[in-house]
Amino acid sequence: MRFQISPLRKTVFLLCVRLILAECATLLLFFGTKGILSFGTIGLNLDFNESIAIILAESTLSIAQLIVILLIVLQWSHESYQLIGNEIVYQKGIFRRKERRYSLTNVESIELVQHINGRIFGFGTLIIYSPTLKQELIIRDIPAPEMFTDQIFEVLSPETKSKVYVQRSNRR
């Protein structure tokens, strides 16, 4: 039987934080641009060309904001981890799709890292070490990392399970 879970994306909480920061940056640019454009015209009657310049600047900022928000959401929705069989499949890319597969057959340790904000909002980072990879596989900012750790543990062979060291920390 081949074990498979649905794709796992980074936490929605961090997506919302990025969208809020993009909105704040756009608002700062919007009010800064409006202030700069109207500062030179204080006490003057705007003629038709200056009014069009203000409308064009505001429209350009609105379009730029829409593009930034769209890119943030697309980037979030096109990056995922999936547990298929005894592999973790990492997929990334909006225009050019990349896929990497990481075998879980020789895993030595699984570390769950959660800082205070991760514990409050239910997300964390998994660090999986396998000597065959000769490096750590770092799965950042995933929701319910304990559940994903349990799912990984389920697919490990009995001899690998007996050797795997699972730890919880707040490093990094």
Side-chain angles (χ1 to χ4, degrees):
M1 182 176 113
R2 202 157 158 88
F3 187 83
Q4 181 173 346
I5 63 165
S6 59
L8 184 65
R9 289 176 172 58
K10 291 188 177 191
T11 182
V12 175
F13 171 75
L14 292 178
L15 172 66
C16 292
V17 168
R18 289 181 72 194
L19 290 172
I20 289 169
L21 289 174
E23 181 68 24
C24 290
T26 304
L27 283 173
L28 285 173
L29 283 172
F30 175 77
F31 287 119
T33 304
K34 190 168 179 135
I36 289 170
L37 288 175
S38 64
F39 180 72
T41 60
I42 293 177
L44 303 174
N45 288 334
L46 289 178
D47 65 357
F48 185 70
N49 290 335
E50 290 171 336
S51 297
I52 289 178
I54 290 174
I55 291 170
L56 284 175
E58 291 173 356
S59 299
T60 303
L61 279 174
S62 296
I63 291 169
Q65 176 186 22
L66 182 65
I67 291 169
V68 167
I69 287 172
L70 188 63
L71 284 174
I72 289 171
V73 171
L74 283 174
Q75 181 185 19
W76 175 82
S77 69
H78 285 80
E79 182 177 6
S80 67
Y81 295 91
Q82 190 169 14
L83 187 58
I84 301 175
N86 65 343
E87 292 182 321
I88 293 179
V89 179
Y90 173 65
Q91 294 180 330
K92 179 181 182 177
I94 298 171
F95 302 110
R96 196 178 84 174
R97 196 82 169 145
K98 296 178 190 174
E99 180 177 295
R100 287 200 173 134
R101 293 178 172 266
Y102 300 95
S103 175
L104 297 172
T105 54
N106 295 316
V107 171
E108 281 186 358
S109 68
I110 301 173
E111 183 178 355
L112 168 59
V113 181
Q114 271 188 310
H115 297 288
I116 187 73
N117 58 343
R119 279 185 246 136
I120 292 169
F121 296 106
F123 67 92
T125 298
L126 289 182
I127 302 169
I128 301 170
Y129 179 73
S130 174
T132 55
L133 294 175
K134 296 181 181 155
Q135 67 181 14
E136 296 175 329
L137 168 60
I138 301 172
I139 304 173
R140 297 185 192 283
D141 305 323
I142 57 170
E146 301 91 354
M147 190 168 64
F148 195 58
T149 302
D150 293 341
Q151 290 169 340
I152 290 171
F153 207 75
E154 283 178 31
V155 301
L156 297 177
S157 66
E159 63 270 0
T160 304
K161 282 182 186 178
S162 64
K163 297 175 187 175
V164 172
Y165 175 67
V166 179
Q167 85 177 60
R168 187 180 181 112
S169 75
N170 56 5
R171 75 174 176 133
R172 294 182 195 194

